[in-house]
Amino acid sequence: MHRKLGSTSQRQIEESVRDNTSRPAILRASIRKATRGKEKPTLKNINNIRQKVKRRMREGFTATQAFIRRLRNKAYWFKIRWTNDNPSTNKPVAFFWIMPYYVKIWKRYYQVLSIDNTYKINRFKMPFFSCTGQTSTGSVFNRAFGLTLSETYESCL
């Protein structure tokens, strides 16, 4: 148990991580209200508990290793580009993946409508991009996703 939080408050934080429901500031206000001000967790306390729960959920893997494992377990088609040919000593420089359902749609509607990169980075410190297409009825669907080192054309090759 955390030194400043009761077991109920700690469980609330752990559940929010598993359900991906609340931000730390919202949790802090909720805990203060539920305990009528007896427990006053800081954002650092809450973030430390959240990180501990996330490490436990990854079962000892790093975030990148857990991501690759998830791609394999979900049977996604994926490609990882490494700095050199030996993945055991190098770091990944690009990830590309497609969900099985989207492969079927892609075969039917093969024209690409857009490829868009985000300008912000994520926990992998790599820009996220998505590739979309359009069906014959005009609805837009996701085709593929990726993480690359930069937002340049060369990084996507």
Side-chain angles (χ1 to χ4, degrees), residues 22-86:
S22 297
R23 297 188 182 276
I26 295 170
L27 281 170
R28 179 177 59 182
S30 168
I31 290 169
R32 285 182 179 174
K33 184 177 180 182
T35 61
R36 295 189 178 111
K38 292 177 186 172
E39 294 180 9
K40 297 178 181 173
T42 64
L43 291 177
K44 186 172 183 175
N45 297 141
I46 292 171
N47 283 327
N48 286 342
I49 294 169
R50 290 168 57 93
Q51 288 302 317
K52 193 181 295 185
V53 170
K54 287 178 182 181
R55 272 194 304 272
R56 224 179 316 145
M57 289 170 64
R58 290 193 310 252
E59 300 172 357
F61 291 102
T62 66
T64 305
Q65 290 169 336
F67 177 65
I68 293 170
R69 185 172 161 220
R70 185 177 176 96
L71 290 173
R72 286 187 177 127
N73 290 345
K74 294 278 188 178
Y76 292 172
W77 179 91
F78 67 94
K79 177 75 175 159
I80 302 170
R81 192 160 29 120
W82 303 89
T83 52
N84 292 327
D85 292 333
N86 187 358

Side-chain angles (χ1 to χ4, degrees), residues 8 21 41-42 47 53 58 66 80 96 103 108 111 120 123 133:
T8 307
T21 54
T42 64
N47 283 327
V53 170
R58 290 193 310 252
I80 302 170
F96 302 96
V103 172
R108 180 177 281 176
Q111 293 179 334
K120 292 188 177 183
R123 69 177 143 192

